[in-house]
């Protein structure tokens, strides 16, 4: 007897084999419906996640905007009180130089002005030094290594290379 042959429909066990096969493999229509509903559920979850992320970003930006305004307010308060205390300190220095050390008013004020100019010069020098960090040199170097934004004419004077010439990359080996 052929082992692959099906039992006749009237035979006992024939219906149970068919129902077991139906349980294992749903029809194409059911599979498409299941896939469609799973896709709709996934899309709905993605949209909900997007809405939640949008709300989070909006709240974070509102908080940052509020914090920036308050920080600017307190920076201006610090500048006003710092400037007034500097002026009072310079007035006290002038009074000490004039009264205790016997310097003339002109020499005392010139010394206080010179001290203020030196502090101003140091402040400008440090500000310019820190503004150099805003040029994003490390990021530009990495982008150049990737071949993005390779503009040698802009960077040639900073690298000590004559304009029009490309600097030699020390990491690159050349075949001889």
């Amino acid at each position: 007897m052929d082992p692959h042959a099906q039992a006749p429909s009237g035979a006992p066990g024939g219906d149970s084999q068919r129902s077991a096969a139906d349980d294992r493999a749903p029809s194409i229509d059911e599979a498409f419906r299941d896939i469609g509903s799973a896709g709709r559920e996934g899309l709905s979850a993605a949209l909900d996640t997007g809405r939640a992320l949008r709300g989070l970003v909006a709240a974070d930006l509102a908080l940052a905007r509020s914090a920036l305004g308050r920080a600017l307010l307190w920076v201006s308060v610090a500048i006003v009180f710092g400037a007034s205390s500097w002026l009072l300190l310079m007035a006290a220095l002038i009074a000490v130089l004039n009264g205790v050390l016997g310097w003339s008013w002109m020499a005392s004020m010139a010394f206080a002005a010179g001290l203020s100019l030196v502090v101003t010069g140091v402040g400008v020098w440090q500000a310019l030094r820190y503004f150099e960090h805003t040029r994003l040199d490390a990021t530009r170097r990495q982008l150049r290594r990737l071949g993005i934004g390779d503009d040698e004419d802009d960077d040639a004077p900073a690298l000590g290379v004559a304009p029009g010439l490309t600097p030699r990359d020390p990491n690159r080996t050349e075949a001889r």
Side-chain angles (χ1 to χ4, degrees):
M1 184 161 193
D2 186 16
H4 298 293
Q6 292 182 355
S9 61
D15 288 334
S16 65
Q17 285 179 355
R18 222 178 291 137
S19 66
D22 288 343
D23 288 342
R24 278 186 262 136
S27 69
I28 298 270
D29 292 339
E30 291 175 17
F32 278 132
R33 276 188 236 115
D34 290 344
I35 290 172
S37 67
R40 283 188 294 278
E41 289 174 6
L43 180 61
S44 174
L47 289 174
D48 290 342
T49 302
R51 286 184 200 107
L53 183 61
R54 185 185 68 197
L56 177 66
V57 168
D60 206 18
L61 287 175
L63 180 64
R65 186 175 49 239
S66 173
L68 178 64
R70 291 177 186 193
L72 288 176
L73 172 75
W74 284 108
V75 164
S76 63
V77 167
I79 288 172
V80 166
F81 280 89
S84 65
S85 66
W86 181 259
L87 291 172
L88 291 171
L89 182 66
M90 289 298 104
L93 177 66
I94 291 169
V96 167
L97 290 176
N98 183 277
V100 175
L101 296 180
W103 289 19
S104 69
W105 283 102
M106 184 62 82
S108 299
M109 286 193 283
F111 181 76
L115 180 63
S116 294
L117 285 175
V118 167
V119 171
T120 301
V122 169
V124 168
W125 171 55
Q126 289 296 318
L128 291 175
R129 195 176 125 215
Y130 283 110
F131 274 130
E132 285 296 316
H133 295 297
T134 63
R135 295 185 63 214
L136 304 174
D137 288 332
T139 302
R140 292 168 71 197
R141 272 194 307 272
Q142 293 303 319
L143 288 174
R144 215 176 301 125
R145 282 186 180 175
L146 293 172
I148 300 170
D150 195 10
D151 198 5
E152 292 91 12
D153 291 337
D154 290 344
D155 296 330
L159 295 172
V161 178
L165 298 177
T166 58
R168 184 173 181 274
D169 186 5
N171 297 328
R172 193 175 88 192
T173 58
E174 296 177 4
R176 293 183 183 172

